[in-house]
Amino acid sequence: MLKVGVIGVGTVGSAVVEILEANKDMITARAGREVVVRRGVVRSLSKARAIDIALSTDPYDVVNDPEIDIVVELMGGVEGPFDVVKKALENGKAVVTANKALLAYHRYELQERAGEIAFEYEASVAGGIPIINALRDGLSANHIERITGIMNGTCNYMLTKMTDEGVDFNAILKESQALGYAEADPTFDIGGFDAAHKLLILASIAYGIDAKPEDILIEGIESVTQEDIAFAKEFGYAVKLLAIAKRDGDEVELRVHAALINRDEMIAKIDGVMNGVSVIGDCVGETLYYGPGAGGDATASAVVANIIDIARSGGKRSPMLGYNTPLEHGLKLRAPQAIVSKYYLRIRVEDRPGVLAQITQLFGEYAISIETMLQRPSEGGYANLLFSTHEAVEGNMQEVLVRLESLAFVASAPVMIRIV
Amino acid sequence: MLKVGVIGVGTVGSAVVEILEANKDMITARAGREVVVRRGVVRSLSKARAIDIALSTDPYDVVNDPEIDIVVELMGGVEGPFDVVKKALENGKAVVTANKALLAYHRYELQERAGEIAFEYEASVAGGIPIINALRDGLSANHIERITGIMNGTCNYMLTKMTDEGVDFNAILKESQALGYAEADPTFDIGGFDAAHKLLILASIAYGIDAKPEDILIEGIESVTQEDIAFAKEFGYAVKLLAIAKRDGDEVELRVHAALINRDEMIAKIDGVMNGVSVIGDCVGETLYYGPGAGGDATASAVVANIIDIARSGGKRSPMLGYNTPLEHGLKLRAPQAIVSKYYLRIRVEDRPGVLAQITQLFGEYAISIETMLQRPSEGGYANLLFSTHEAVEGNMQEVLVRLESLAFVASAPVMIRIV
């Protein structure tokens, strides 16, 4: 019998307890032994709960209990769980976590401390989609060339609504908050940080890259307007928040940002709150993994899969791609300024002669070449200039944006969206 | 060092040899040991080959070589490879096969003979997509409620072309044959048999169902016309060849047929030669796996992933869902006649009074109720009647089709496509 302690019995934690109970016979057969939840940790003991396990409010009650074999960490936060997980590993307990923020900051240190003890986190990326399993096992014959993920359901829901119903960002944000798809403070989701945490986890598996959120390019979807979506539609693009990891020689670029992506790409067809991850391997080509990126049962499905894995392997860690494979240690993070991309730009300008010439001359100075251009009238003597460019260097584009904003005839900060 | 023998060094076999060589350092790191191809078996030694391994024409040279640890079976056929694989297992060698026909007929017997020896076949279903890995590991917390696959690239390419370009079945078939997407004798693909083999493999993993191709409903795409595609478009459907495994109580239905499927479903968006498998689990909900279903490198990616797995686990079999899990042994195959579905019907009739009344009365006798109906004029005094129905029983629908064909005013055999 394998004894589990669940730290954080909220939506996901309760679902873990319920699934282990509801699918008990099947899980026993698949795990090769019985799996029982023995302890749970909650913030407050006064709240009524549907599940029937011994509860306390102190994570260390679980972590220091010699009976417990597997600690499931679902606390949230970074430094608190970091200490808890370290102690659990020190006490020889296998750990399963869904905590992407913890992993974004401390995955290498925890992996190292784990050594041969199982330390698993399938649920931390894209909820119920077994993407870590695919990277580590299913695609193990491949060098990974590129990962492109839609890994934040809030952003994808909002962008889908903006596209399908023509509603403005702020209206959709309010609706998403009312529906529970967006938090009261939505920055973590719509600013791209949630997706970035997940990207860093995938990058460590595929490339052995040890970067922190502050090292990589992270932008959100706050500046996307109906004007941009209309442009995207006209030129055959969808607008998505993408998390991208891309290998180029011995460098890996990692970035999260709103993007225009060809509507015919499979990943561009993922709408609403759903998540999806496209992986390009050097042998297999493109495979894509789609499913629910959040929700108690979906996330718990991944947590329980890890528990079953651990039961099968007797508590030892699974072999990992990336981490502990020397070949992948030679890769370096590419500086965000060195990223090469195509760009879409929207610039609101005074509608008078000479403006376009000055802008295009500025582009020329920074080796930015225009692919398409549209001019649309705006109110009050202004015009909107919409450009898409050929490939250019991120650092140059950033300087152009600063220079553009300083021009007298430019009415407001230009909007830039990368084209992938 | 792990020594591999490859029986069948054709497109896939050569790719296996090449990947093991090209990605050698990475594979050694991931497998925890060096993997070397020592022997190959070919039909004829006179053909020039780019790879440099010892070749012979006798599979038993590999199977009986005490040096060989893993036999990769890529021969094609059923009974020949069955004997070869049995002998390999008897000699204690791990086996990796991509042979779906072999597995459709003999997977249970081979699995039983394998016992604790690894017997793996990721490449047999949907080529490079790690769908078996997802079912066995990633989704292990779930009872599988339904699997819906687009697993034949030839059919999907043809149906996509018919839909996008309005070309007729026969013209597309010729084009597909010229491009190498369809065989000279295309029956195996367009008749649904290839997809059925793959479905049986997935059904054995998810449900422990031991059925043979002749036990299940298998139809192809031969009768799909532009008329049907126009109807599908008008009512928001895509036309796809689907392989479906669906659990209902203690029964599982298995079927392969052309289907009308809501265009908004993710799987309906998979076009061209690509494959995809949607899996609905009781905890996770729907996840979908997309990628190349054929091709040397993509298929070899799955073969090599199995080889790496075997190296990691020291030649022992991975724990399997379905097979060897008692809970899943209680399920029975549902008789094809008992399947319940919605249906689309196209009936070419003489354009005269009373015809529609007789048809709808016949429907009534068999408890078939109409959801939509369209009448379209045809040439020479005929009309095409297009119906979609509410849910009805397959056996009843089959009888209706026979009765319809016998009616004097029905000009040709009615066409039926299931709606899923």
Side-chain angles (χ1 to χ4, degrees), chain A residues 21-32:
Chain A
E21 188 56 38
N23 289 356
K24 190 179 197 60
D25 293 346
M26 183 193 73
I27 289 168
T28 304
R30 290 178 185 180

Side-chain angles (χ1 to χ4, degrees), chain B residues 277-299:
Chain B
V277 184
S278 152
V279 181
I280 297 179
D282 64 344
C283 316
V284 73
E286 183 186 18
T287 54
L288 180 141
Y289 308 82
Y290 163 90
D297 285 346
T299 309

Side-chain angles (χ1 to χ4, degrees), chain B residues 149-169 172-173 176 189-190 219-226 228-230 232-233 237-242 257-261 268 270-273 417:
Chain B
I150 292 180
M151 301 194 289
N152 184 274
T154 307
C155 288
N156 207 45
Y157 175 80
M158 290 177 62
L159 292 171
T160 302
K161 282 284 211 176
M162 287 176 74
T163 303
D164 291 351
E165 298 174 14
V167 196
D168 266 343
F169 182 86
I172 286 295
L173 178 56
S176 305
D189 289 313
I190 66 175
E219 290 175 12
I221 62 168
E222 304 91 335
S223 60
V224 177
T225 67
Q226 280 302 328
D228 308 319
I229 285 181
K233 282 184 178 170
Y237 295 113
V239 184
K240 297 289 178 190
L241 181 83
L242 296 183
H257 51 71
L260 302 186
I261 179 167
I270 296 174
D271 284 332
V273 296
I417 305 179

Side-chain angles (χ1 to χ4, degrees), chain B residues 42-57:
Chain B
V42 294
R43 285 222 185 100
S44 155
L45 290 172
S46 56
K47 200 173 141 190
R49 281 160 219 278
I51 53 159
D52 181 31
I53 51 171
L55 293 178
S56 82
T57 57

